């Protein structure tokens, strides 16, 4: 096993992340959250995020249309801006195309990118275009703006907080499974494939949640809560108990899993790319926030667990109807052999 496989994606980032801290202004935040924070003045900050999509790793060009790919490459970055509670203000797009990429493909890709730019009212303000000897590679950077007092970090979860998510989990991972394994069922479960190709960046929801000081920690779910909860736990130095029976599962996902004899919780916890928001809220404010959210969006927030500050080493424990589950869940990691 190679060294990188052993330490995984996050272990790899940790090998160099701290080496730049001495260059960092104390008001700013560097590596480790959904976006970096760069303070503008006493009132506002910029938040900056970047995400790369590589052909054959993040997408297969005959499974996703170029237009959807254009949409998705911006959406996944907007989701990180949403996770900070910020408003996106600009995007930058870099593409490395190979000799098989047609003009039509690039045009459809940019049509999709424009569609999402219009939807979220974010202008494309720059980028880079180059040739690639191999796979098509897309990198997007989005800059957002936020009031300093509204920034939501991963490191702010507090003892007793309720852990919540903004929507169904697992649909996207099930969509991925339909693309590669259960191809004959694709039509029946087209909604799951759509969840994978065209997730929704919860920018309005993140903005709304960032207006409440009682919302403590927040991030978006890109690798599956099995992995993402660990980031909040580690950054906030807290443990988290998850009540698996409360994890919101769509009817489509449940039907698909019943039909194929699969466990929906595997998709919901260990799958990724749902891009819902994961946040913790003061337990005494949960009911009020829940009502306010429902009033504003016509959809509920879903409480799925609680934060515990006691104990030596932070851990994520899974329960089913108050009974501790022994199964451990992981999330997606680019370098590890298994996702457990
Ligand atoms: P997300 O899933 O929210 O996009 P990632 O898991 O991709 O976040 O990354 C975790 C953190 O590590 C982020 O703060 C990101 O900016 C940082 N990071 C990832 N790769 C690198 C890199 N090569 N150089 C510097 N920072 C990185
Ligand atoms: Mg993120």
């Amino acid at each position: 096993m190679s060294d990188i496989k052993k330490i995984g994606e996050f272990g790899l980032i940790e090998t160099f992340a701290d080496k730049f801290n001495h260059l960092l202004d104390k008001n700013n935040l560097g590596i480790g959250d959904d976006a970096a924070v760069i303070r503008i003045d006493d009132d506002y900050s910029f938040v900056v995020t970047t995400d790369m999509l590589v052909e054959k790793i993040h997408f297969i060009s005959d499974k996703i249309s170029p237009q959807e790919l254009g949409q998705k490459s911006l959406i996944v970055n907007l989701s990180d801006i949403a996770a900070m509670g910020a408003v996106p203000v600009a995007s930058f797009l870099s593409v490395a195309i190979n000799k098989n990429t047609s003009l039509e493909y690039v045009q459809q890709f940019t049509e999709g990118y424009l569609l999402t730019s219009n939807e979220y009212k974010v202008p494309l303000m720059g980028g880079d275009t180059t040739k690639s000897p191999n796979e098509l590679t897309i990198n997007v950077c989005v800059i957002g703006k936020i009031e300093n007092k509204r920034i939501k970090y991963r490191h702010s979860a507090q003892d007793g907080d309720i852990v919540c998510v903004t929507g169904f989990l697992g649909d996207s991972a099930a969509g991925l499974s339909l693309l590669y394994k259960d191809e004959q069922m694709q039509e029946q479960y087209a909604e799951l494939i759509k969840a994978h190709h065209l997730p929704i960046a919860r920018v309005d929801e993140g903005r709304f949640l960032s207006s409440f000081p009682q919302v403590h920690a927040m991030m978006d779910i890109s690798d599956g809560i099995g992995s993402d909860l660990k980031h909040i736990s580690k950054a906030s130095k807290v443990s988290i108990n998850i009540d698996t029976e409360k994890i919101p599962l769509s009817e489509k996902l449940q039907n698909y899993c019943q039909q194929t004899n699969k466990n929906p919780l595997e998709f919901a916890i260990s799958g990724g790319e749902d891009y819902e928001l994961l946040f913790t809220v003061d337990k005494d404010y949960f009911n009020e926030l829940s009502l306010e959210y429902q009033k504003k969006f016509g959809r509920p927030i879903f409480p799925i667990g609680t934060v515990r500050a006691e104990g030596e080493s932070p851990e994520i424990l899974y329960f089913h109807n108050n009974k501790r589950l022994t199964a451990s869940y992981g999330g997606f990691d680019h370098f590890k052999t298994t996702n457990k």
Side-chain angles (χ1 to χ4, degrees), residues 66-86:
Q67 182 177 317
E68 285 173 327
L69 186 62
Q71 290 173 273
K72 187 169 177 176
S73 51
L74 180 54
I75 290 169
V76 300
N77 281 274
L78 291 171
S79 177
D80 278 324
I81 298 294
M84 304 304 289

Side-chain angles (χ1 to χ4, degrees), residues 205-219:
E205 292 82 350
R207 200 60 200 140
F208 176 79
L209 292 168
S210 78
S211 69
F212 296 92
Q214 298 88 347
V215 171
H216 294 149
M218 186 152 76
M219 69 180 295

